[in-house]
Amino acid sequence: MNKTRSTAHLRQLILQTQARPPKLAHPHLQTVTRPRVRLASGARIKNITAQLPSIGRRYIYSSSEAASKTSSPIIRLRNTFYGTSLALSIYLSYLYLTDTRAAIHTYLILPTLRLLYPDPEDAHHATTTTLQTLYTSGLYPRERGNPDAAGDLTTDVFSHALANPLGISAGLDKHAELPDALFALGPALVELGGVTPLPQEGNPRPRVFRLPSQNALINRYGLNSDGADAVARRLRLRLREFAYQQGFGRGADAEQAVLDGAAGVPPGSLSSGRLLAVQVAKNARTAEGDVGAVTRDYVAGVAAVGRYADIVVVNVSSPNTPGLRSLQRVEPLTAILTGVVQAAGRVERRTKPAVMVKVSPDEDSEEQVRGICEAVWEAGVNGVIVGNTTKRRPEPVPKGYALPTKELDVLSEVGGYSGPQLFDRTVVLVKRYRKLLDERPQRFPPGLENRTAAVHSASSTDNTQESVAHKVEASKHRDVQNLKSPSENSKEEAQPLIQLPERHSASSKTEGHGLSLLPSKDQGTEIFPSSPTPAASDGPKVIFATGGIVNGKQALEVLNAGANLAQVYTAMVYSGASTITRIKTEMREEMRKQSRNEKA
């Protein structure tokens, strides 16, 4: 009885399904033929029940197919638009973020770094690591558009036509970890180091301090270095990778081919219109009073890294190694520089690196400056880098500005000060060095023609050795003190207004290039002498200027004072990847302004 009642109920449901088919949204689907189901009982009813899901599926499938036929072109068009927009946005973001002209480098990235890393050394390490990663992946910031192609900033250094007269000072890349990434920012010169013969940790941390209101730094790194062998290994790997990319293969033979000029580029920078300098220094544990041991330190550094440098820089001016600046006295300096020049002459490549010496802005008496110039000429050094950090503490700018309490505490820290306040003194020193170097001072009697013998004679007497030892001890005592010198003399030599020097004037135009900064050919000395040992040049010595240069007007002013190239360091810390491009743009604007004024 119950079974008969259930069967009757099922039949009634089937009849209702046939009478009222499901209404579908799409009009085309209303014509779909309904399945005919015959009334049956028992097993046939079970078969009919099993068919019900398939009936629904037929309606659903028919609905999807018909809808896709009408809407698929619109969907494809919409997806194409969204995909193209996304790809274009990513590409434009890539172009913007990797362009040195992007304001984000100065106004977002740097403040974020300072916020995340209160210790400037931590921020430096984070920046170095990030820049390495970005360079490897091709996402690094670079100067786009090749603005130097116009030739309006071309300058001659060691008979190389450099793309522009700007460089990055040592300190940003101490261990040769990212020279190519720094070249991509637009300078014509990158200085690596300082590099000591053996690895050393430097001074204890914290050892770097910011003065944000002054855009200045105080550091007492103490020449922390991975050592000459580690730096040479990185530079060797870089050169061999370049040789492989240029089709010379891998290994020592390919390396030597590039070093000997087969690639047609300087063996240090590996890029035309650019030069790579490597700064060498002595280890802190080497006694300053032992001039022979100090010389051996510098010679060891040149022997390790000289093959991969266009310029070797001798650092005798760091304020953070006690007693080091005493080596700027004429007798020990001449001995050290003579040894370095000879070591550079023994570098195993067809062309030899130039040798420059980096001097302190604090050794500025007439006797000290003249003695350094004498040593440069007597040893056969090719040029001088004027400027380093100073032990003095300049007055805040603007005049009368009261430093915040935190910065007053920083100002009392021991170390070398760098920042815009050093600029005026840099210009004054460049003028003095240019004048004295051009005069070619003579220390030794005319009859003494052998420089090495003269140096040996001068440094071997008991009186001289006692004097050197005494000065070294006195210098050590001064360096460990907390020095806060008075402000610069307000009666210092006044600086002239911007005026392009003769070698930078409009009269030296290159056809089709407008204004040019190219000096006359007698301004430079050959960076790669054909003789095995570099000899003293009879032409003017090359001067690089560093210290307080933060804009294009200052760069031109220091070039007017007699420098061949202007270097920046602290400006990079506060302006970031856009610094070099911005300074070059400002230089061009100043030159155009000067040209208009001359025509008026």
Side-chain angles (χ1 to χ4, degrees), residues 32-72:
V32 175
T33 304
R34 296 192 298 270
R36 292 182 175 274
V37 181
R38 296 177 59 186
L39 298 180
S41 62
R44 295 186 63 186
I45 292 177
K46 293 182 181 179
N47 293 335
I48 293 172
T49 305
Q51 293 178 11
L52 288 176
S54 66
I55 295 172
R57 285 197 297 270
R58 286 181 59 189
Y59 283 115
I60 294 172
Y61 293 159
S62 299
S63 175
S64 300
E65 291 172 2
S68 63
K69 288 180 181 178
T70 57
S71 61
S72 59

Side-chain angles (χ1 to χ4, degrees), residues 452-527:
T452 304
V455 172
H456 178 74
S457 173
S459 62
S460 62
T461 63
D462 293 338
N463 291 338
T464 301
Q465 290 290 354
E466 290 176 3
S467 175
V468 170
H470 174 74
K471 298 262 182 162
V472 166
E473 291 304 319
S475 179
K476 284 183 179 180
H477 178 71
R478 289 194 307 271
D479 287 345
V480 298
Q481 302 301 314
N482 184 0
L483 294 177
K484 290 182 66 176
S485 298
S487 62
E488 307 281 347
N489 189 344
S490 59
K491 296 182 179 180
E492 194 74 86
E493 180 180 346
Q495 300 305 313
L497 297 175
I498 288 294
Q499 182 179 0
L500 294 175
E502 291 182 4
R503 67 177 186 276
H504 297 167
S505 66
S507 62
S508 60
K509 288 183 180 179
T510 303
E511 185 176 355
H513 294 312
L515 289 173
S516 172
L517 287 178
L518 181 64
S520 59
K521 289 299 180 182
D522 61 355
Q523 293 289 334
T525 55
E526 189 178 1
I527 187 171

